[in-house]
Amino acid sequence: MVNILRNKFLLIALLTMQFAFCQNITHLQKKGNKTQLIVNQKPFLIRGGELGNSSATSMESMETIWPKLTDMNLNTVLTPVYWELIEPEEEKFDFKLVDDLILRARKENLKLVFLWFGSWKNSMSSHAPAWVKLNQKKYPRVKDDQNKSHEILTPFSEYNLQADLNAFKKLMNHIKDFDQKEQTVIMIQVENEIGMLPTARDYHPLANEAFSKEVPKELLQYIQKNKEKLVPEFYEIWKKNGFKTSGNWAEVFGKGLHTDEIFMAWYFSKFTNQIAKAGKDIYPIPMFVNAALNAPEKKPGQYPSAGPLPHLMDVWKAGGNAVDFLAPDFYNPSFKQWNDLFTRQGDPLFIPEHRFDETAPFKGLYAIGHYEAIGFSPFSIESVADAKKEPLGKIYDLVQQLTPTIEASKGQGKMDGVLLDKENNAQIIKMGDYEFTFKHDYTLNWSDGAKAEVWPMSSAIIIEIAKDEFYIAGSGIVVTFKSLKENLNAGILKTDQGKFENEKWKTIRHFNGDQTHQGRHLRISVGDYEIQKIKLYTYD
């Protein structure tokens, strides 16, 4: 009896220690109906930038980049870790570059998100080491329907899995030993833009054998259990074929490219989840996968098929829970549409890669405000000529000042964002007792540039901080107000432009008269980047 009690107490103590360990390292936690990233036991909002694919292959190539990152007010750098560089010879590992990146990031007061360029990078296996590439017999590649091999490691090979798994485990062990105390590395992206090309599925003999077998019970049980919550695209495929719960892939989902893609998504997901789980068993920081978005007119095989895309989200989730979330990479203008798809099941939004164009800063602010994203990151962040003049840095400065307020408001229904251009020049938000009409600054006839053929994108975030009181921050917007209470008018009681110093609000200028159009609106002109604190009131 004494031994039983002793063992019980030891088990409780072990579980308590494990829980404390997980809580003290970087992790995700729910706040209201949203998700926060917790770093060093505090909420952390990623003001990110992703390096170009080869920029971090040496510290010499990085030397001129670090100042640009801090000049743009980044707090996080997304950078690849290259399988071919850390394991140039089988079982001979070199982590010097990894260590140098971590040490320099600490010096610059930056966090890191490592992108594991392992088995797949933009579908291809370009970053696998030479000893893998040169031994196709042991480490086979996918084959198309003409039996032609492509430089994509097949996910059906146990040897391929074990090679990647071994390297990733060594990497995670090293990161844990080198960085657990400081928590410089805060997340891991497992692989990169996984997808099948140029056919919808792999025709390697291992793949053909799997395709002829019954659909795994694990997938069937998941979709049965979550039948009412499945994404519509996947639900309709299953429904059209009679909601079958047994049979091979063609029998359960029907014959066609859609089934080929579902089949590949399952095996890509299983492979990736095994990699992520092995890493988390060592050091359980958040891990995610990213998706190359498909064009609607393209068929499976014409885009990187079977990746972690919204229409395949249920398949990827069924494959395991070691991957914390799926993330979109944006080279597609339909920003709202895709983000709506990625978040429709209540998942957190993180945008690890967005084309670094003139729209990126404003989309980033919108994502943080409207979707309450855990972060945003333009790609090829080092490509700018003069980082201090970049609009991204000005937007990130606003986000940095507002981060404590943003994180305190997360998941509470007290925050939103707008994204405006010439075609979509107005948006209405209801918050507190008021209706806010946000319009593009150029809707004011007297604004410079109002007659321009193309208007620059603008955006803003609004946060309710008390009854009748709000922060509005951004660029290129004009806001009017309406009371939601019947027979009452809304007016401006006070408007201040200001900034946060040591997380405390400091008023710089009190606005009235011409600056508020005699109490009619709040305005932040195109080219200005401001936080304004506004207090409203109602009158008969």
Side-chain angles (χ1 to χ4, degrees), residues 310-339:
H311 67 285
L312 300 166
M313 185 172 283
D314 296 305
V315 183
W316 273 81
K317 289 182 178 181
N321 60 5
V323 172
D324 289 291
F325 56 86
L326 317 182
D329 286 356
F330 274 100
Y331 298 88
N332 182 307
S334 303
F335 192 71
K336 295 181 181 180
Q337 173 194 340
W338 282 103
N339 287 327

Side-chain angles (χ1 to χ4, degrees), residues 12 19 121 156 166 175 227 245 306 315 380 396 419 452 489 496 538:
I12 292 171
F19 178 77
K121 194 276 175 193
F156 298 91
N166 183 56
I175 292 171
K227 185 176 180 179
T245 57
V315 183
S380 191
Y396 274 177
L419 187 65
N489 299 302
D496 292 330
T538 56

Side-chain angles (χ1 to χ4, degrees), residues 185-356:
V185 181
I186 59 174
M187 287 202 299
I188 304 288
Q189 179 184 287
V190 186
E191 314 295 347
N192 181 271
E193 293 188 359
I194 298 167
M196 180 63 199
L197 291 168
T199 49
R201 79 165 178 89
D202 184 1
Y203 287 86
H204 188 280
L206 292 170
N208 291 338
E209 181 183 355
F211 192 70
S212 66
K213 291 181 178 178
E214 296 224 335
V215 176
K217 289 182 179 179
E218 190 180 353
L219 174 57
L220 292 170
Q221 289 170 353
Y222 181 94
I223 63 177
Q224 288 175 76
K225 181 180 178 181
N226 296 279
K227 185 176 180 179
E228 303 307 316
K229 297 184 289 185
L230 299 174
V231 298
E233 303 92 336
F234 181 78
Y235 179 89
E236 288 302 318
I237 288 172
W238 191 30
K239 175 184 176 182
K240 187 176 180 179
N241 216 45
F243 294 123
K244 290 181 181 175
T245 57
S246 64
N248 63 31
W249 293 89
E251 289 169 345
V252 173
F253 298 112
K255 294 181 179 180
L257 294 178
H258 63 281
T259 296
D260 291 347
E261 186 176 34
I262 291 169
F263 165 73
M264 288 302 299
W266 171 254
Y267 283 97
F268 276 135
S269 173
K270 289 298 293 181
F271 187 110
T272 309
N273 265 282
Q274 287 180 81
I275 301 293
K277 183 181 184 303
K280 280 190 167 185
D281 286 345
I282 295 163
Y283 188 39
I285 61 176
M287 298 192 185
F288 67 96
V289 289
N290 63 327
L293 304 181
N294 54 300
E297 68 275 8
K298 301 291 186 181
K299 296 179 181 179
Q302 296 176 337
Y303 61 84
S305 306
L309 290 157
H311 67 285
L312 300 166
M313 185 172 283
D314 296 305
V315 183
W316 273 81
K317 289 182 178 181
N321 60 5
V323 172
D324 289 291
F325 56 86
L326 317 182
D329 286 356
F330 274 100
Y331 298 88
N332 182 307
S334 303
F335 192 71
K336 295 181 181 180
Q337 173 194 340
W338 282 103
N339 287 327
D340 286 346
L341 294 176
F342 272 91
T343 58
R344 60 185 164 175
Q345 290 185 337
D347 298 289
L349 179 65
F350 175 57
I351 299 171
E353 189 172 332
H354 188 289
R355 186 194 302 274
F356 197 5

Side-chain angles (χ1 to χ4, degrees), residues 86 95 99 179 255 328 333-334 400 441 452 475 508 512 521 533:
I86 69 165
F95 294 109
D99 294 348
D179 190 54
K255 294 181 179 180
S334 303
Q400 180 178 12
D441 181 40
S475 180
I508 298 172
N512 211 326
H521 68 215
K533 183 179 182 181

Side-chain angles (χ1 to χ4, degrees), residues 3-248:
N3 286 335
I4 293 173
L5 288 173
R6 184 184 295 116
N7 290 338
K8 183 177 180 180
F9 287 130
L10 285 172
L11 178 61
I12 292 171
L14 179 62
L15 292 172
T16 302
M17 289 173 62
Q18 288 177 335
F19 178 77
F21 168 68
C22 291
Q23 291 301 106
N24 287 333
I25 66 171
T26 302
H27 62 279
L28 299 171
Q29 73 175 22
K30 293 292 288 186
K31 186 171 190 293
N33 62 353
K34 299 296 180 182
T35 300
Q36 288 179 310
L37 177 64
I38 306 298
V39 179
N40 300 116
Q41 302 184 58
K42 295 180 180 179
F44 189 86
L45 180 55
I46 292 176
R47 306 188 307 276
E50 182 178 336
L51 296 174
N53 297 155
S54 298
S55 292
T57 52
S58 75
M59 291 308 290
E60 287 78 11
S61 65
M62 284 291 297
E63 196 57 41
T64 59
I65 294 174
W66 296 105
K68 293 182 179 182
L69 307 180
T70 52
D71 283 347
M72 285 186 283
N73 295 305
L74 272 69
N75 64 3
T76 307
V77 187
L78 282 71
T79 181
V81 173
Y82 315 87
W83 185 8
E84 61 180 333
L85 295 187
I86 69 165
E87 193 183 8
E89 297 180 54
E90 189 171 4
E91 287 293 352
K92 293 184 179 179
F93 290 90
D94 181 359
F95 294 109
K96 185 180 186 306
L97 180 58
V98 171
D99 294 348
D100 287 345
L101 286 167
I102 292 173
L103 291 171
R104 185 58 183 267
R106 288 177 191 165
K107 183 179 178 181
E108 302 292 341
N109 196 29
L110 292 165
K111 298 297 185 182
L112 295 173
V113 174
F114 278 150
L115 317 176
W116 174 233
F117 282 11
S119 290
W120 301 294
K121 194 276 175 193
N122 291 46
S123 301
M124 312 307 288
S125 298
S126 51
H127 289 274
W131 55 268
V132 170
K133 290 181 179 180
L134 294 173
N135 192 351
Q136 188 178 341
K137 186 173 182 180
K138 184 175 181 179
Y139 304 108
R141 305 175 183 185
V142 303
K143 289 183 179 291
D144 63 23
D145 54 358
Q146 303 300 313
N147 201 38
K148 179 183 177 182
S149 293
H150 294 267
E151 196 168 4
I152 304 173
L153 292 172
T154 177
F156 298 91
S157 166
E158 185 66 21
Y159 286 112
N160 288 348
L161 173 63
Q162 290 304 320
D164 191 325
L165 199 63
N166 183 56
F168 192 68
K169 286 164 69 174
K170 288 288 199 307
L171 173 65
M172 293 308 299
N173 265 309
H174 187 80
I175 292 171
K176 179 184 177 183
D177 293 341
F178 195 80
D179 190 54
Q180 180 179 336
K181 182 179 178 181
E182 288 82 0
Q183 296 182 42
T184 313
V185 181
I186 59 174
M187 287 202 299
I188 304 288
Q189 179 184 287
V190 186
E191 314 295 347
N192 181 271
E193 293 188 359
I194 298 167
M196 180 63 199
L197 291 168
T199 49
R201 79 165 178 89
D202 184 1
Y203 287 86
H204 188 280
L206 292 170
N208 291 338
E209 181 183 355
F211 192 70
S212 66
K213 291 181 178 178
E214 296 224 335
V215 176
K217 289 182 179 179
E218 190 180 353
L219 174 57
L220 292 170
Q221 289 170 353
Y222 181 94
I223 63 177
Q224 288 175 76
K225 181 180 178 181
N226 296 279
K227 185 176 180 179
E228 303 307 316
K229 297 184 289 185
L230 299 174
V231 298
E233 303 92 336
F234 181 78
Y235 179 89
E236 288 302 318
I237 288 172
W238 191 30
K239 175 184 176 182
K240 187 176 180 179
N241 216 45
F243 294 123
K244 290 181 181 175
T245 57
S246 64
N248 63 31

